[in-house]
Amino acid sequence: MKYKHIIDKMTLEEKASLTSGKDFWQSMDIERLGINSMFLSDGPHGIRKQAKAADHLGFNPSLPATCFPTAATVANSWNEKLCMKIGEFLGEEAVAQKVNVLLGPGINMKRNPLCGRNFEYFSEDPYLAGKLAASYIKGIQSKGIAACVKHFCVNNQEERRMAIDTIVDERTLREIYLTAFEIAVKEGGVKTVMSSYNMLNGTYTNENMHIMQDILRKEWGFKGVVVTDWGGSNERVAGLIAGNELEMPTTAGETNAEVLNAIKSGKLKEEILNECIDRMLELIFTTEEVYKKSVKEYDVKEHHSLAQYAAEESIVLLKNEENILPISCGTRVAVIGDFAKNPRYQGAGSSIVNPTKLDNTLNCLKNTNFITVGYAQGFERYGKKSDKLIKEACKLAAQAEVVLLYIGLDEATEAEGLDRQDMKIPQNQIDLLEAIYKVNTNIIAVISCGSAVEMPWISKVKGLVHAYLSGQAGAMAVLRVLCGEVNPSGKLAESYPLQYKDVPSSSNFPGKEKTVEYREALYIGYRYYDTADVEVLFPFGYGLSYTNFEYSDLKIENDKISFFLKNTGKFSGAEVAQLYIGKSSDIVFRPKKELKGFKKVFLKPGEIKRVTINFDDKTFRYYNVLTDSWEEEPGEYNILVGSSSKDIKLFGVTSRKGTSAPAPYDKNSLSSYFSGKAANVDTMEFEALLGRKVPKSKWDKSKPLGYNDTVAQCQYAKGLAARFAFHIIEFVYWFLKKIGKRSTANVIMMSIYHMPFRGIARMTGGVFNMPMLDGLLMVVNGQFFKGLRHLLRERRKMLKERSKSVKSFKASKTKVQATQEG
C-alpha cells in the first residue's frame, strides 16, 4: 500500500469515516493527519456546484459555468479531438470552482429511445461511446482533477432505477454494456467510477463481485475509486468488500457504525478496509495537488466560443429537399416556435447547468443576412393547445419566403428519474406545422431534443436540422448552419426508427415491477435494424452535408485499412468515414455489422486524402461464454466502409486465423438470435441464452414491504395509512400536471414514487436512519401504533447518541491537540 504510513496512524473510527461522505457533496476529512475533503460535483456537460443548500435534483441554482452541448449532442460530432478539448475546458472550470472529482461523462447505452436520461449518454454503440468518453476523460484529468465515468452498469431506464433488477446474459453484458466502460478505464485512464442504482442479475451493482472485482479490478486493472450514485448504497459492508470505496452522500455516521461492527465481528477484514482507504487517499492527495499552485480563472468568452464550435460540429442535417439549405442572403424569413425565444439547450435533473451566457435565436438573428419578417410563438411549450397562437403564426408565415420552425421536446419530457411515455413530439407542435404548411410549404424545421423521436410529419418540411441539446451557444451555431457559414458535418449516434413498435426492446421496456429483461441481447439500435432488415427513418451514422464525398480504392492490410476520400462538391466540409465489420457464422450469432472504427476528415472542394483506420483489440473479438474470455472466430470477415450503417461505399474481405475456442451455442435453441429477429424472444429461448431460469418479474403482493420495495408499492400495502399516503401522492402528481407544474410533478415521481424505502435513510443525510425506517415499515405493513412508537423511540435514541458522539469527538480532538502541543 502506498499510504500505509498514514493508515497505520488512523483509528478504526477514522478509517470507517472516510468511506462515507461528510455532507452532500464532500468526502470526509481527517484534519490531524492532513487529509482534506474532496468536493465532488455534477458535470457531464458543465459544472454544477451549488452556491447554497445542496440537493441532487437541481432545485437550487449552481454557480455560473459554461453549458456545453450534452453528450448525446457531441456524440454526433464523432470528433475525439473536440471531446478532449471540451474535457480540458471542463477541467479548467472545475479547478476554478475547487472541484476534485467531476461526475461524468455518462456512457450508458441507449438501449431504448424512451429512457429519460438519454440526453446525458453518447450513443447506442459502445465503441463510439467509449472512444468519445476516453477523450473527455483525458481532457478533464489533464487539469489535475479526476473524471468519474458513470453509471456502472446496465442502468438503461429511469423508472424504478433504484430497485429494478436487470436480467442480461453474459455476452451481451460484455459486448454491449461494458465495452464503453472498458475503453474508459483502459484508454481513458479514468480515476473514478460511479456504480449505478440498479441490480444486475440479482445483486446491486455496488455489491456485485463479478463486475466490481472480476472485471473492473482484475481484468481491466482499475486501481481508482468507486463511488456510489447518490443514495445508491444498499448494504454498505457488502459494497466495501466489493471495492466500492466511497458512499455518497453522508449518512451522518450510521453506515460508519455498520463498518465498525463488521470489522469487530469478522464479516469485514481490516485489510480490505485498508486497501479501500489507500485508494481513497491516492485520489484525495493527487486531486488536491493542483490547488497548491496558483489557480487561474478561466476565459469565459473562450469557453463560450468552444461551446458554439462544439454545437456546430454536432448539428445533423437530416433533410434538404430542393436544396432549400443553406438559406440565400436576403431571403425573407419568418421565425416561429417558442424554442426560438426560449431555447431548449440542456436536459433536466442533476446535470442542470447555470450558463455563463445564453444565446437565443431572436437575439442572434442580427448576425445573419436574413430579412426577418417577424417572430411568432406558435405553441405553448408544455403542450397546451392554442388556436390563437397557431393563427398568429400562420399569418406571419404567409408573409415569408421561408419559415424557420423551432420545435422539439420540453424539459419536463426529458428528465432524470422518469422515462418518456412515447416517441412523439407534442401534438400542438404538429398541429402548428400542418397549419403553416397550408399557407407556406417552404418550411425548415429546427428540432431540439436529446433522443430519437417519431416524425410522421416529415413530408411537411423541406429542411430538417437537428440541433439536439446544443448548450448555451447553440442558437448561433444553428443559424450559422442555416445560412451556410458552417457546413453541417454531424452524423447520428443513434438510429431513428419509423415508429416505437419497431424498437427491439419496446416489449421489454421499462421494467415495471421487479425486473427488466434484455431479451433482445446484442440486437440494440442498428445491430437489430440492419440484421433484421427493419426499415428506419434515419440510420445510425446518417447525416447530410452541403457538399458530396466520394470513396475509392479500399486497401486491407493485417492491422488496418485505407481508402481515398474526395470532396466532389462546391463547399468545404467534413465527412465521418465509418468502418464496420461483419461475419457470417453458424457457430456464433452476430449482428450483420458492427462499428469498429471511424475518422472525421475535413476536405476542401476537389481535395482528396488517403484515410487510414487501424484495427485494434476490439475489431474482431466476441465474448465466448464457455471459455469466459474474448475469442476471435477464424474465417472471412466483411470489411465495410461507409457514411452510415446503411450507406456502405466500399466493401472488402479479410481472413483471420482466430482462436480455437469451442462453439458456445446450440443454434437450434437460439433461432431468433441467429436470425437477428430478436424483438419478441419467448421465455424458453431467453432462458436458453441466459443458461438459467428467468427470475419472477412481478411483485409478490402477499409479502410485507421491505427496504428495497418502493413507495409505489404502498398501493397494496396492508397498512391503511400507507395506502392513503399512496393515493395522496398520486393525486398531488395528477393535480400538479393539471395546473401545468410538470417539472414539480416529475420530481414527485422521481424522488418519492419510485424511491425504495432504504432511499429515505440513504438520501436524507442522517435525518432519518434505518432503525427509524423499521418503524415506518411497521406502519406500512399494518402495525400503525407499534410502528409509530418504534419510529419516535429510535429518533430520540439517534439524537441522543449523536449528541454524545459530538461531545466525544470534541473531547478526543482536544486531547490530541494537547498531546501535540505537549
Side-chain angles (χ1 to χ4, degrees), residues 334-344 360-362 365 374-381 389-390 392-394 396-397 403-408 428-429 432-433 436 444-446 448:
V335 180
I336 298 172
D338 184 62
F339 295 155
K341 185 177 182 180
N342 303 296
R344 174 78 207 289
N360 72 51
T361 301
L362 300 186
L365 276 168
Y375 162 75
Q377 183 180 338
F379 61 86
E380 291 280 358
R381 193 179 192 87
L389 291 179
I390 290 178
E392 291 171 354
C394 289
L396 184 67
V403 175
L404 290 183
L405 180 61
Y406 284 75
I407 57 176
N428 66 337
Q429 296 182 34
L432 171 66
L433 169 59
I436 292 172
I444 299 169
V446 177
S448 297

Short mmCIF file of all heavy atoms in Angstrom, two decimals, residues 334-344 360-362 365 374-381 389-390 392-394 396-397 403-408 428-429 432-433 436 444-446 448:
data_model
loop_
_atom_site.label_atom_id
_atom_site.label_comp_id
_atom_site.label_asym_id
_atom_site.label_seq_id
_atom_site.Cartn_x
_atom_site.Cartn_y
_atom_site.Cartn_z
N ALA A 334 -39.61 33.95 -41.73
CA ALA A 334 -40.45 34.02 -40.53
C ALA A 334 -39.90 33.05 -39.51
O ALA A 334 -39.63 31.88 -39.82
CB ALA A 334 -41.89 33.67 -40.87
N VAL A 335 -39.73 33.50 -38.28
CA VAL A 335 -39.22 32.65 -37.20
C VAL A 335 -40.38 32.30 -36.28
O VAL A 335 -41.00 33.18 -35.69
CB VAL A 335 -38.10 33.36 -36.41
CG1 VAL A 335 -37.57 32.46 -35.29
CG2 VAL A 335 -36.96 33.77 -37.34
N ILE A 336 -40.64 31.02 -36.17
CA ILE A 336 -41.81 30.56 -35.41
C ILE A 336 -41.41 29.44 -34.46
O ILE A 336 -40.63 28.55 -34.81
CB ILE A 336 -42.91 30.06 -36.38
CG1 ILE A 336 -43.38 31.22 -37.28
CG2 ILE A 336 -44.09 29.47 -35.60
CD1 ILE A 336 -44.32 30.78 -38.38
N GLY A 337 -41.98 29.50 -33.26
CA GLY A 337 -41.73 28.45 -32.28
C GLY A 337 -41.14 28.98 -31.00
O GLY A 337 -40.20 29.79 -31.02
N ASP A 338 -41.67 28.53 -29.87
CA ASP A 338 -41.24 29.02 -28.56
C ASP A 338 -39.75 28.80 -28.32
O ASP A 338 -39.10 29.60 -27.64
CB ASP A 338 -42.05 28.32 -27.47
CG ASP A 338 -41.74 28.84 -26.08
OD1 ASP A 338 -41.96 30.03 -25.82
OD2 ASP A 338 -41.23 28.06 -25.26
N PHE A 339 -39.19 27.72 -28.88
CA PHE A 339 -37.78 27.42 -28.64
C PHE A 339 -36.84 28.43 -29.30
O PHE A 339 -35.66 28.47 -28.97
CB PHE A 339 -37.44 26.01 -29.13
CG PHE A 339 -38.15 24.91 -28.38
CD1 PHE A 339 -38.39 23.69 -28.97
CD2 PHE A 339 -38.59 25.11 -27.08
CE1 PHE A 339 -39.05 22.68 -28.28
CE2 PHE A 339 -39.25 24.11 -26.38
CZ PHE A 339 -39.48 22.89 -26.98
N ALA A 340 -37.35 29.24 -30.24
CA ALA A 340 -36.52 30.28 -30.84
C ALA A 340 -36.26 31.41 -29.85
O ALA A 340 -35.20 32.05 -29.89
CB ALA A 340 -37.19 30.83 -32.10
N LYS A 341 -37.22 31.65 -28.97
CA LYS A 341 -37.07 32.70 -27.97
C LYS A 341 -36.53 32.16 -26.66
O LYS A 341 -35.70 32.80 -26.00
CB LYS A 341 -38.42 33.38 -27.72
CG LYS A 341 -38.35 34.58 -26.80
CD LYS A 341 -39.72 35.24 -26.67
CE LYS A 341 -39.65 36.48 -25.78
NZ LYS A 341 -40.98 37.13 -25.66
N ASN A 342 -37.01 31.00 -26.27
CA ASN A 342 -36.59 30.36 -25.02
C ASN A 342 -35.99 29.00 -25.37
O ASN A 342 -36.70 28.00 -25.40
CB ASN A 342 -37.79 30.17 -24.09
CG ASN A 342 -38.48 31.48 -23.78
OD1 ASN A 342 -37.90 32.37 -23.17
ND2 ASN A 342 -39.72 31.61 -24.24
N PRO A 343 -34.71 28.96 -25.66
CA PRO A 343 -34.10 27.76 -26.24
C PRO A 343 -34.17 26.54 -25.33
O PRO A 343 -34.09 26.63 -24.11
CB PRO A 343 -32.64 28.17 -26.48
CG PRO A 343 -32.40 29.32 -25.55
CD PRO A 343 -33.71 30.03 -25.46
N ARG A 344 -34.35 25.40 -25.94
CA ARG A 344 -34.22 24.10 -25.26
C ARG A 344 -32.79 23.65 -25.51
O ARG A 344 -32.46 23.17 -26.58
CB ARG A 344 -35.22 23.12 -25.85
CG ARG A 344 -35.05 21.71 -25.29
CD ARG A 344 -35.65 21.55 -23.90
NE ARG A 344 -34.97 20.50 -23.13
CZ ARG A 344 -35.07 19.20 -23.37
NH1 ARG A 344 -35.84 18.77 -24.34
NH2 ARG A 344 -34.43 18.34 -22.61
N ASN A 360 -30.02 33.16 -27.69
CA ASN A 360 -31.27 32.69 -28.26
C ASN A 360 -31.38 33.17 -29.70
O ASN A 360 -30.69 34.12 -30.11
CB ASN A 360 -32.50 33.09 -27.42
CG ASN A 360 -32.83 34.55 -27.49
OD1 ASN A 360 -32.94 35.14 -28.57
ND2 ASN A 360 -33.01 35.18 -26.33
N THR A 361 -32.20 32.53 -30.46
CA THR A 361 -32.26 32.77 -31.90
C THR A 361 -32.63 34.21 -32.22
O THR A 361 -32.02 34.83 -33.11
CB THR A 361 -33.28 31.82 -32.55
OG1 THR A 361 -32.87 30.47 -32.28
CG2 THR A 361 -33.37 32.03 -34.05
N LEU A 362 -33.60 34.76 -31.52
CA LEU A 362 -34.05 36.12 -31.83
C LEU A 362 -32.94 37.14 -31.66
O LEU A 362 -32.79 38.05 -32.47
CB LEU A 362 -35.25 36.48 -30.96
CG LEU A 362 -36.49 35.58 -31.11
CD1 LEU A 362 -37.65 36.13 -30.30
CD2 LEU A 362 -36.88 35.43 -32.58
N LEU A 365 -30.20 36.70 -34.57
CA LEU A 365 -30.58 36.90 -35.97
C LEU A 365 -29.90 38.11 -36.61
O LEU A 365 -29.68 38.14 -37.82
CB LEU A 365 -32.10 37.05 -36.09
CG LEU A 365 -32.88 35.73 -36.15
CD1 LEU A 365 -34.37 36.00 -35.97
CD2 LEU A 365 -32.63 35.02 -37.48
N GLY A 374 -40.57 38.65 -38.86
CA GLY A 374 -41.14 38.66 -37.52
C GLY A 374 -41.01 37.33 -36.81
O GLY A 374 -40.50 36.34 -37.37
N TYR A 375 -41.48 37.32 -35.59
CA TYR A 375 -41.45 36.13 -34.74
C TYR A 375 -42.84 35.85 -34.20
O TYR A 375 -43.57 36.78 -33.81
CB TYR A 375 -40.48 36.31 -33.57
CG TYR A 375 -40.70 35.31 -32.45
CD1 TYR A 375 -40.30 33.99 -32.57
CD2 TYR A 375 -41.34 35.71 -31.25
CE1 TYR A 375 -40.52 33.07 -31.53
CE2 TYR A 375 -41.56 34.80 -30.22
CZ TYR A 375 -41.15 33.49 -30.37
OH TYR A 375 -41.38 32.59 -29.36
N ALA A 376 -43.19 34.56 -34.15
CA ALA A 376 -44.45 34.15 -33.52
C ALA A 376 -44.17 32.95 -32.63
O ALA A 376 -43.42 32.05 -33.01
CB ALA A 376 -45.48 33.78 -34.58
N GLN A 377 -44.78 32.95 -31.46
CA GLN A 377 -44.56 31.87 -30.51
C GLN A 377 -45.04 30.53 -31.06
O GLN A 377 -44.38 29.51 -30.90
CB GLN A 377 -45.25 32.17 -29.18
CG GLN A 377 -45.01 31.11 -28.12
CD GLN A 377 -45.72 31.43 -26.81
OE1 GLN A 377 -46.04 32.57 -26.53
NE2 GLN A 377 -45.96 30.40 -26.00
N GLY A 378 -46.20 30.51 -31.65
CA GLY A 378 -46.68 29.33 -32.36
C GLY A 378 -47.33 28.25 -31.51
O GLY A 378 -48.34 27.67 -31.88
N PHE A 379 -46.74 27.95 -30.34
CA PHE A 379 -47.28 26.89 -29.49
C PHE A 379 -46.91 27.13 -28.03
O PHE A 379 -45.94 27.81 -27.74
CB PHE A 379 -46.77 25.51 -29.93
CG PHE A 379 -45.27 25.37 -29.86
CD1 PHE A 379 -44.62 24.98 -28.69
CD2 PHE A 379 -44.49 25.60 -30.99
CE1 PHE A 379 -43.24 24.85 -28.64
CE2 PHE A 379 -43.10 25.47 -30.95
CZ PHE A 379 -42.47 25.09 -29.76
N GLU A 380 -47.73 26.56 -27.15
CA GLU A 380 -47.42 26.56 -25.72
C GLU A 380 -46.36 25.50 -25.47
O GLU A 380 -46.47 24.37 -25.93
CB GLU A 380 -48.67 26.26 -24.90
CG GLU A 380 -49.72 27.36 -24.92
CD GLU A 380 -49.41 28.50 -23.98
OE1 GLU A 380 -48.38 28.42 -23.27
OE2 GLU A 380 -50.18 29.48 -23.97
N ARG A 381 -45.33 25.85 -24.71
CA ARG A 381 -44.17 25.00 -24.52
C ARG A 381 -44.51 23.61 -24.00
O ARG A 381 -43.92 22.61 -24.43
CB ARG A 381 -43.19 25.70 -23.57
CG ARG A 381 -41.80 25.07 -23.53
CD ARG A 381 -40.90 25.86 -22.58
NE ARG A 381 -39.50 25.50 -22.70
CZ ARG A 381 -38.63 26.03 -23.54
NH1 ARG A 381 -39.04 26.94 -24.41
NH2 ARG A 381 -37.35 25.66 -23.56
N LEU A 389 -52.47 31.12 -31.02
CA LEU A 389 -51.04 31.12 -31.36
C LEU A 389 -50.82 30.56 -32.76
O LEU A 389 -49.96 31.06 -33.51
CB LEU A 389 -50.25 30.31 -30.33
CG LEU A 389 -50.13 30.91 -28.93
CD1 LEU A 389 -49.34 29.99 -28.02
CD2 LEU A 389 -49.47 32.30 -28.97
N ILE A 390 -51.55 29.54 -33.14
CA ILE A 390 -51.42 28.96 -34.48
C ILE A 390 -51.86 29.97 -35.54
O ILE A 390 -51.20 30.12 -36.58
CB ILE A 390 -52.25 27.66 -34.59
CG1 ILE A 390 -51.60 26.55 -33.74
CG2 ILE A 390 -52.38 27.21 -36.05
CD1 ILE A 390 -52.36 25.24 -33.73
N GLU A 392 -51.82 33.27 -35.35
CA GLU A 392 -50.80 34.32 -35.44
C GLU A 392 -49.59 33.83 -36.24
O GLU A 392 -49.03 34.58 -37.06
CB GLU A 392 -50.36 34.74 -34.04
CG GLU A 392 -51.42 35.50 -33.25
CD GLU A 392 -51.01 35.71 -31.79
OE1 GLU A 392 -49.96 35.16 -31.39
OE2 GLU A 392 -51.73 36.42 -31.07
N ALA A 393 -49.21 32.59 -36.00
CA ALA A 393 -48.05 32.02 -36.70
C ALA A 393 -48.32 31.88 -38.20
O ALA A 393 -47.45 32.18 -39.03
CB ALA A 393 -47.69 30.67 -36.09
N CYS A 394 -49.50 31.42 -38.55
CA CYS A 394 -49.85 31.26 -39.97
C CYS A 394 -49.88 32.61 -40.70
O CYS A 394 -49.46 32.70 -41.87
CB CYS A 394 -51.20 30.56 -40.10
SG CYS A 394 -51.13 28.82 -39.65
N LEU A 396 -48.09 35.19 -40.01
CA LEU A 396 -46.69 35.58 -40.21
C LEU A 396 -46.05 34.73 -41.31
O LEU A 396 -45.34 35.26 -42.18
CB LEU A 396 -45.91 35.42 -38.91
CG LEU A 396 -44.45 35.88 -38.94
CD1 LEU A 396 -44.37 37.40 -39.11
CD2 LEU A 396 -43.73 35.45 -37.66
N ALA A 397 -46.30 33.43 -41.30
CA ALA A 397 -45.69 32.51 -42.28
C ALA A 397 -46.07 32.89 -43.70
O ALA A 397 -45.27 32.73 -44.64
CB ALA A 397 -46.12 31.08 -41.98
N VAL A 403 -39.99 29.61 -43.83
CA VAL A 403 -40.36 29.56 -42.42
C VAL A 403 -39.31 28.76 -41.66
O VAL A 403 -38.99 27.62 -42.03
CB VAL A 403 -41.74 28.89 -42.22
CG1 VAL A 403 -42.05 28.73 -40.74
CG2 VAL A 403 -42.83 29.70 -42.91
N LEU A 404 -38.76 29.36 -40.62
CA LEU A 404 -37.89 28.65 -39.68
C LEU A 404 -38.75 28.24 -38.50
O LEU A 404 -39.19 29.09 -37.72
CB LEU A 404 -36.73 29.53 -39.22
CG LEU A 404 -35.65 29.87 -40.23
CD1 LEU A 404 -34.55 30.70 -39.57
CD2 LEU A 404 -35.05 28.61 -40.83
N LEU A 405 -39.00 26.95 -38.35
CA LEU A 405 -39.89 26.45 -37.32
C LEU A 405 -39.09 25.69 -36.27
O LEU A 405 -38.50 24.64 -36.54
CB LEU A 405 -40.94 25.53 -37.95
CG LEU A 405 -41.96 24.91 -37.01
CD1 LEU A 405 -42.80 25.99 -36.32
CD2 LEU A 405 -42.85 23.93 -37.76
N TYR A 406 -39.07 26.23 -35.06
CA TYR A 406 -38.31 25.66 -33.95
C TYR A 406 -39.21 24.79 -33.09
O TYR A 406 -40.12 25.29 -32.42
CB TYR A 406 -37.67 26.77 -33.12
CG TYR A 406 -36.47 27.40 -33.77
CD1 TYR A 406 -36.61 28.30 -34.85
CD2 TYR A 406 -35.18 27.11 -33.34
CE1 TYR A 406 -35.51 28.87 -35.46
CE2 TYR A 406 -34.06 27.69 -33.94
CZ TYR A 406 -34.23 28.56 -34.99
OH TYR A 406 -33.13 29.14 -35.59
N ILE A 407 -38.99 23.48 -33.11
CA ILE A 407 -39.84 22.52 -32.40
C ILE A 407 -38.99 21.53 -31.62
O ILE A 407 -37.76 21.54 -31.73
CB ILE A 407 -40.76 21.76 -33.38
CG1 ILE A 407 -39.93 21.05 -34.46
CG2 ILE A 407 -41.78 22.70 -34.00
CD1 ILE A 407 -40.75 20.19 -35.42
N GLY A 408 -39.64 20.65 -30.86
CA GLY A 408 -38.90 19.62 -30.14
C GLY A 408 -39.58 19.21 -28.86
O GLY A 408 -40.80 19.37 -28.69
N ASN A 428 -49.57 19.66 -30.19
CA ASN A 428 -49.81 21.07 -30.53
C ASN A 428 -48.76 21.61 -31.50
O ASN A 428 -49.04 22.50 -32.31
CB ASN A 428 -49.91 21.94 -29.28
CG ASN A 428 -48.61 22.05 -28.50
OD1 ASN A 428 -47.74 21.19 -28.59
ND2 ASN A 428 -48.49 23.10 -27.71
N GLN A 429 -47.53 21.03 -31.46
CA GLN A 429 -46.50 21.44 -32.41
C GLN A 429 -46.78 20.85 -33.80
O GLN A 429 -46.55 21.52 -34.82
CB GLN A 429 -45.12 20.99 -31.91
CG GLN A 429 -44.70 21.65 -30.61
CD GLN A 429 -43.32 21.22 -30.17
OE1 GLN A 429 -42.43 20.97 -30.99
NE2 GLN A 429 -43.10 21.14 -28.87
N LEU A 432 -49.48 22.87 -35.36
CA LEU A 432 -48.91 24.12 -35.87
C LEU A 432 -48.24 23.89 -37.22
O LEU A 432 -48.45 24.66 -38.17
CB LEU A 432 -47.89 24.66 -34.85
CG LEU A 432 -47.04 25.84 -35.31
CD1 LEU A 432 -47.90 27.09 -35.54
CD2 LEU A 432 -45.93 26.13 -34.29
N LEU A 433 -47.42 22.86 -37.32
CA LEU A 433 -46.73 22.56 -38.57
C LEU A 433 -47.72 22.36 -39.72
O LEU A 433 -47.54 22.90 -40.82
CB LEU A 433 -45.86 21.32 -38.38
CG LEU A 433 -45.25 20.68 -39.63
CD1 LEU A 433 -44.36 21.66 -40.39
CD2 LEU A 433 -44.45 19.42 -39.27
N ILE A 436 -49.27 25.69 -40.79
CA ILE A 436 -48.34 26.53 -41.54
C ILE A 436 -48.16 26.00 -42.96
O ILE A 436 -48.08 26.77 -43.93
CB ILE A 436 -46.98 26.60 -40.81
CG1 ILE A 436 -47.11 27.38 -39.50
CG2 ILE A 436 -45.91 27.25 -41.69
CD1 ILE A 436 -45.87 27.35 -38.63
N ILE A 444 -38.47 25.01 -42.93
CA ILE A 444 -37.24 24.39 -42.41
C ILE A 444 -37.46 24.22 -40.91
O ILE A 444 -37.62 25.20 -40.18
CB ILE A 444 -36.00 25.27 -42.66
CG1 ILE A 444 -35.78 25.47 -44.16
CG2 ILE A 444 -34.77 24.64 -42.00
CD1 ILE A 444 -34.74 26.52 -44.48
N ALA A 445 -37.51 22.97 -40.47
CA ALA A 445 -37.70 22.70 -39.05
C ALA A 445 -36.34 22.55 -38.36
O ALA A 445 -35.44 21.88 -38.87
CB ALA A 445 -38.52 21.44 -38.85
N VAL A 446 -36.23 23.17 -37.21
CA VAL A 446 -35.07 23.00 -36.34
C VAL A 446 -35.57 22.29 -35.10
O VAL A 446 -36.41 22.82 -34.36
CB VAL A 446 -34.43 24.35 -35.95
CG1 VAL A 446 -33.27 24.13 -34.99
CG2 VAL A 446 -33.97 25.10 -37.20
N SER A 448 -35.11 20.29 -31.44
CA SER A 448 -34.25 20.22 -30.26
C SER A 448 -34.79 19.16 -29.30
O SER A 448 -35.91 19.30 -28.79
CB SER A 448 -34.21 21.57 -29.54
OG SER A 448 -33.64 22.57 -30.36
#
